Amino acid sequence: MDWLYSDIVKDHFTRPRNVLMESEESYPADGRGETGNIRCGDKMLMLVRIKDDVITDVRWKTYGCASAIASTSMLSEMIKGMNIRDAYQIGPEDLTKALGGLPTAKIHCSVLGDKALRSAIDDYLGKHGRAGELVESSTVICHCMGITDKDIENAYRNGARTLEQLQQATKLGTGCGGCKVNATEFLHGLDHVYGTEEETSHKEAVLA
């Protein structure tokens, strides 16, 4: 088969940077973040070292596909020397661009890395009495109703697992309806972060 990814993705997949090695299990991290669900096949650990609010080093490991590995490898390189305020706002679109693109069906894999990073930064801030200091930026998904990706994520965590349930919880897509495809894809990505194996299998069957 032809390689379906960019040369940058191939490079970071075959030669991932800053991976946590077995010999580094006692890596002295200032912040630790985990996200994902191993039952869905994707789980991420991110460890960061921080000095004066600047990320000086990072280690990570993941159970995931080529996209998850490549996007987290790229992320680990991007954040070195970066202030935590800037690193906190890195999103999947930034990683996708840096990698030269990802297949649409794989963009959700890049969510794992940035969520694990924010969790690690939150851990660092909490240890220093600064919990809640940083807030993740949001992206509008449904412009008619002003529903953001954060609104969808909150609804998901409160039990909305289908587009119909999401509409009941947020009124998303009740205007022009042009957001339904993006909202469904976003829900699919959340399955890999929060969902159970059964929910992910069901959603993939529906999308197929």
Side-chain angles (χ1 to χ4, degrees):
M1 292 181 63
D2 292 333
W3 182 259
L4 301 177
Y5 299 93
S6 70
D7 289 339
I8 302 175
V9 173
K10 182 178 180 179
D11 179 38
H12 277 272
F13 171 60
T14 57
R15 299 188 306 113
R17 283 68 151 171
N18 308 303
V19 176
L20 181 69
M21 309 302 291
E22 290 186 8
S23 61
E24 298 179 305
E25 288 298 328
S26 59
Y27 179 79
D30 298 303
R32 176 188 180 94
E34 290 186 67
T35 192
N37 189 326
I38 193 62
R39 291 174 297 179
C40 302
D42 298 307
K43 188 172 180 64
M44 182 79 62
L45 168 68
M46 181 78 68
L47 304 172
V48 293
R49 299 190 70 179
I50 301 172
K51 182 177 181 180
D52 298 327
D53 281 359
V54 173
I55 298 173
T56 59
D57 201 13
V58 57
R59 292 290 186 276
W60 60 274
K61 64 179 179 180
T62 186
Y63 296 98
C65 64
S67 296
I69 293 170
S71 61
T72 310
S73 175
M74 173 61 78
L75 175 64
S76 71
E77 289 288 273
M78 290 172 63
I79 63 176
K80 286 185 179 179
M82 185 177 289
N83 187 280
I84 59 173
R85 293 183 179 276
D86 297 323
Y88 203 86
Q89 301 304 332
I90 292 177
E93 64 280 358
D94 301 305
L95 296 175
T96 300
K97 181 178 180 180
L99 288 168
L102 284 172
T104 301
K106 289 296 184 179
I107 290 178
H108 67 265
C109 297
S110 65
V111 174
L112 290 175
D114 67 84
K115 284 189 175 295
L117 172 60
R118 279 189 287 275
S119 180
I121 294 174
D122 285 338
D123 182 48
Y124 163 77
L125 291 173
K127 290 176 179 176
H128 291 79
R130 300 165 58 187
E133 182 174 309
L134 298 181
V135 178
E136 181 184 356
S137 61
S138 60
T139 300
V140 176
I141 301 295
C142 175
H143 291 273
C144 294
M145 305 304 294
I147 306 301
T148 70
D149 54 348
K150 300 299 125 206
D151 296 323
I152 295 175
E153 184 171 352
N154 288 335
Y156 184 98
R157 297 177 71 174
N158 287 324
R161 296 294 189 269
T162 66
L163 180 61
E164 290 73 21
Q165 291 172 340
L166 181 61
Q167 289 179 299
Q168 291 175 3
T170 68
K171 304 305 179 185
L172 174 144
T174 56
C176 72
C179 61
K180 291 182 179 180
V181 172
N182 289 339
T184 301
E185 291 176 352
F186 190 73
L187 279 174
H188 178 52
L190 291 175
D191 282 334
H192 286 262
V193 178
Y194 300 115
T196 65
E197 182 177 14
E198 292 78 10
E199 287 169 343
T200 301
S201 299
H202 173 71
K203 186 67 65 62
E204 289 177 344
V206 170
L207 290 175

